[in-house]
Amino acid sequence: MEDVKDVYISPLPESIYVKPFRLNYTQNGKEKNWDLLEVHDSVAIIVFNITRKVMIFVKQFRPAIYYNSIHPDDRQSKVIDTKKYPASLGIALEMCAGIIDKNKSVEQIAKEEVLEECGYDVPLDKLQRIISYRSGVGVQGSLQTFFYCEVTDDMKTEQGGGVDDEIIEVIEKTIPEIEEMVTSPGPISSPPSCLFALMWFLHYKAPSFTK
């Protein structure tokens, strides 16, 4: 996962994942504009293993985090010095998640993501839909739907770790470790949606597992 080299920055060609554009509008009689990104909506799933009372996370290299760990002066280099800026700077700990890029229900996409990333085969009726919210409201405003599911060791398969060229490591944390994570002064390499989901879990679900 941390074997990253030959890092350099280039202009963005046409992409199937992000589309930059400018929105022009008039507000209170004044002409304005805002630069935006069109991206896919997504799902995110909290996966809690009730056999061993551990939360299932995914760890992966996130180029956006890595890029923002590089000093602006060094971003101008033809090739980024990976000794000065090792790949570990871009490692994130997140919930299981994925974009909605198939003509399927959000529940079906969530089920597939849990299987592909975490290796658990979760029945559709065991996926609890919690809430949908807007993420990246400054530049994208895409919709993410948050699910919760409980799994057992018996539901574990040989899958997991991502598909195609994804490199994902499955990480388990106990409830005390989750509490420590959300109260840490940081910085934490986890998105706000993950921390929100963990706080939700600690408030609504964790008490039943800690009695």
Side-chain angles (χ1 to χ4, degrees), residues 43-199:
V43 296
I45 312 98
I46 275 194
V47 182
F48 188 72
N49 184 313
I50 60 175
T51 303
R52 289 175 289 109
K53 296 182 181 179
V54 291
M55 182 78 74
I56 309 301
F57 291 86
V58 295
K59 186 170 79 170
Q60 57 189 317
F61 177 76
R62 288 297 195 181
I65 296 177
Y66 181 76
Y67 173 82
N68 281 285
S69 299
I70 300 171
H71 191 279
D73 291 343
D74 292 335
R75 296 173 189 168
Q76 311 306 315
S77 303
K78 187 175 181 180
V79 177
I80 303 300
D81 184 354
T82 52
K83 290 184 178 179
K84 183 177 182 180
Y85 299 105
S88 58
L89 295 172
I91 301 299
L93 190 67
E94 309 170 58
M95 293 184 291
C96 173
I99 61 173
I100 299 175
D101 60 349
K102 309 180 188 75
N103 187 24
K104 298 180 179 181
S105 69
V106 288
E107 288 80 8
Q108 184 63 44
I109 291 175
K111 171 184 170 66
E112 292 178 3
E113 291 296 339
V114 174
L115 181 61
E116 292 170 1
E117 292 192 352
C118 303
Y120 289 92
D121 190 4
V122 181
L124 282 175
D125 61 359
K126 297 299 183 182
L127 280 163
Q128 180 183 354
R129 186 169 178 167
I130 305 302
I131 193 173
S132 295
Y133 44 77
R134 297 291 175 179
S135 58
V137 295
V139 293
Q140 60 187 59
S142 59
L143 189 69
Q144 183 169 81
T145 301
F146 162 39
F147 290 88
Y148 170 76
C149 68
E150 295 174 358
V151 299
T152 65
D153 284 346
D154 291 339
M155 297 163 69
K156 191 75 172 67
T157 71
E158 295 299 319
Q159 292 183 251
V163 295
D164 299 327
D165 60 350
E166 288 183 314
I167 301 175
I168 292 174
E169 182 181 349
V170 177
I171 301 292
E172 298 179 348
K173 284 186 176 290
T174 63
I175 291 175
E177 288 173 328
I178 295 169
E179 292 173 332
E180 182 179 353
M181 180 178 172
V182 300
T183 56
S184 168
I188 301 172
S189 292
S190 299
S193 57
C194 178
L195 300 178
F196 159 74
L198 295 179
M199 294 294 288

